[in-house]
Amino acid sequence: MDGRELPRPPRRVPAGAGTLTQLQAGTPRGPEPPPRQPWIFGRFLVGFLVVLVIVAGGATAGWFVRAQSLRIDTAQVLESVGSSVVRVLATTCAGSGEASGVLLEGGLILTAASAVEQPLSIVIMTPDDRIRPANLLGTSPDGVAVLQMIGSLDGERASLAPEDPDPKAERALIGYTAAGQQVINPIGSAADPTALSEVMNATKLGGPVVDKDGRVVGVVAGRTVQASTIVPLEKLRGYAVPRSTGITAVPGGSCEESRGPQTAIAPELLVANTALAAEVQKLFGNYLTLENRRNFPALQALYSEQLARSITPVSDRRSHRTTYFFGPKITEVSRYAKDGAYARITFNALFSPVTTGADGRRCNRLDNRYRLVREGGRLVIDTAVSMEKPPRSCEAE
């Protein structure tokens, strides 16, 4: 070796690699782009969405507040205005005689005309059992009767609403059941009403339709439950005024015999509910119901043999030609002899003021004590004694 370096072997090129002819220079880079400006549309969109959320929230809150303002609290309404919703009871030639009604300022009462056709006597009865006589001033073409209460009566009076309610505002009907219990039923709004047939019975005819503040916005009228309709506020404004031209005066009844309501009577027990008291309650429920229905022959089965000989169907009819009994309360039930009983009952008798012995009155509150005996295994009425002579007027507190 002479010290010279040996030539380097050629560099191996991997198979498939392209042929390099020269060194390739790197691609030159241009200047840096300027910073991105804020996205104006995006900011606008976000702001719009925020506003939309706020508006939607406000609208929802407003809708909720409005919905709440249209709702009715029936319990609160009944508490505030229930004392001015009364029962209307009448003995009439037509034999209708029972409805609900609403007492307004000045002693005017709005009720259903169908309940007071050809009346001999009319009274109103408050939820706390106070009774006042009333006169029929007239009736309207759409079936509303306007009564005038006679005498004074403490307590709240209902009022007509100052304007028609919102069509979407909820309403309620206040009236009485056949048993004389005051009830309130929601009936929807004018825009979305509940069918009256779902909540009505015959004794709710004449009942007021009220708004959430207890103000009268209508009265239910009609000859029957099926034909009942709501007479609107705009009509009532023309009826509930002195010397109204919207109602027509009608004559009272002139029949010798009249009838009150024909619903079954159920005396209220103010004593312990024993087996004997329940038997007494059933007996007098039947007795008063048959009296009101003028079924005097059937009454004979409720009398003892001795009493039936002195009170015949003919004499019974003669003494009760116009009488209607209501509001019975059993205040005493005690044993008599081996298997008989004494029963003391207070109740009201509505009658024509021209009836013999009426002395111009229309209603008496009776307090009778009965002696009952058992015949054929059943309790029957044997004697009756008045515990208060003369009877008090129904108007006595």
Side-chain angles (χ1 to χ4, degrees):
M1 298 288 295
D2 56 4
R4 293 180 294 179
E5 291 185 356
L6 296 176
R8 294 182 180 179
R11 186 175 179 184
R12 297 177 66 92
V13 178
T19 304
L20 296 177
T21 57
Q22 63 179 20
L23 292 178
Q24 297 179 352
T27 304
R29 299 180 62 185
E32 292 290 330
R36 183 185 296 272
Q37 296 298 316
W39 190 25
I40 303 300
F41 178 74
R43 294 176 61 185
F44 172 78
L45 181 61
V46 171
F48 174 75
L49 291 175
V50 170
V51 172
L52 186 62
V53 169
I54 294 174
V55 170
T60 301
W63 173 86
F64 179 76
V65 171
R66 173 174 164 75
Q68 289 297 104
S69 72
L70 298 176
R71 296 188 61 186
I72 188 168
D73 184 333
T74 53
Q76 182 179 359
V77 168
L78 189 62
E79 182 178 355
S80 66
V81 77
S83 61
S84 64
V85 180
V86 298
R87 295 178 70 191
V88 176
L89 302 170
T91 177
T92 71
C93 298
S96 47
E98 184 173 10
S100 301
V102 59
L103 179 60
L104 306 175
E105 290 295 338
L108 292 179
I109 301 120
L110 301 181
T111 187
S114 57
V116 289
E117 293 180 346
Q118 305 172 34
L120 271 67
S121 290
I122 305 173
V123 294
I124 63 168
M125 189 174 186
T126 64
D128 57 358
D129 293 345
R130 290 180 294 168
I131 297 170
R132 293 292 182 272
N135 287 332
L136 175 61
L137 297 182
T139 60
S140 69
D142 46 18
V144 175
V146 182
L147 312 179
Q148 176 65 60
M149 182 181 71
I150 300 172
S152 61
L153 188 65
D154 294 335
E156 295 295 325
R157 302 288 188 270
S159 60
L160 300 183
E163 58 185 14
D164 292 337
D166 188 306
K168 295 185 178 180
E170 294 181 351
R171 307 162 300 167
L173 168 64
I174 306 177
Y176 287 84
T177 66
Q181 180 184 4
Q182 189 183 81
V183 294
I184 184 169
N185 300 104
I187 59 169
S189 65
D192 185 20
T194 299
L196 287 178
S197 59
E198 295 183 14
V199 299
M200 283 293 295
N201 59 41
T203 53
K204 290 179 184 176
L205 287 170
V209 175
V210 297
D211 64 13
K212 68 184 183 67
D213 296 315
R215 298 171 302 190
V216 179
V217 297
V219 165
V220 176
R223 299 194 63 84
T224 64
V225 169
Q226 293 73 21
S228 60
T229 59
I230 298 174
V231 179
L233 177 63
E234 60 180 317
K235 296 289 188 68
L236 300 182
R237 290 196 188 103
Y239 306 154
V241 292
R243 296 178 294 279
S244 169
T245 59
I247 60 174
T248 302
V250 292
S254 57
C255 52
E256 292 185 0
E257 292 190 15
S258 63
R259 293 190 306 166
Q262 302 295 287
T263 51
I265 298 291
E268 181 181 356
L269 272 180
L270 300 183
V271 298
N273 189 11
T274 63
L276 180 60
E279 192 176 4
V280 169
Q281 183 184 39
K282 181 178 179 181
L283 170 62
F284 282 97
N286 289 337
Y287 170 73
L288 295 173
T289 298
L290 291 172
E291 286 278 12
N292 287 344
R293 292 178 179 174
R294 301 292 186 266
N295 192 347
F296 301 111
L299 279 166
Q300 294 290 297
L302 306 183
Y303 298 156
S304 68
E305 293 181 2
Q306 171 184 299
L307 186 61
R309 284 193 292 270
S310 60
I311 302 180
T312 67
V314 173
S315 62
D316 227 351
R317 178 180 296 277
R318 187 182 304 119
S319 60
H320 296 103
R321 288 185 183 277
T322 66
T323 307
Y324 166 65
F325 297 116
F326 64 99
K329 301 178 188 295
I330 298 176
T331 60
E332 177 198 351
V333 173
S334 58
R335 293 285 181 182
Y336 162 68
K338 181 180 179 180
D339 53 3
Y342 285 110
R344 185 170 177 177
I345 304 177
T346 63
F347 53 97
N348 305 293
L350 180 64
F351 45 79
S352 169
V354 297
T355 300
T356 302
D359 299 326
R361 293 192 305 275
R362 309 181 191 204
C363 184
N364 281 339
R365 194 183 302 274
L366 307 180
D367 184 357
N368 293 345
R369 193 170 193 249
Y370 297 86
R371 187 177 70 194
L372 312 176
V373 297
R374 197 171 294 277
E375 292 181 353
R378 299 181 303 112
L379 281 181
V380 292
I381 301 170
D382 190 47
T383 62
V385 177
S386 175
M387 304 300 289
E388 190 168 3
K389 295 183 179 179
R392 288 183 299 158
S393 167
C394 288
E395 298 176 62
E397 298 295 343

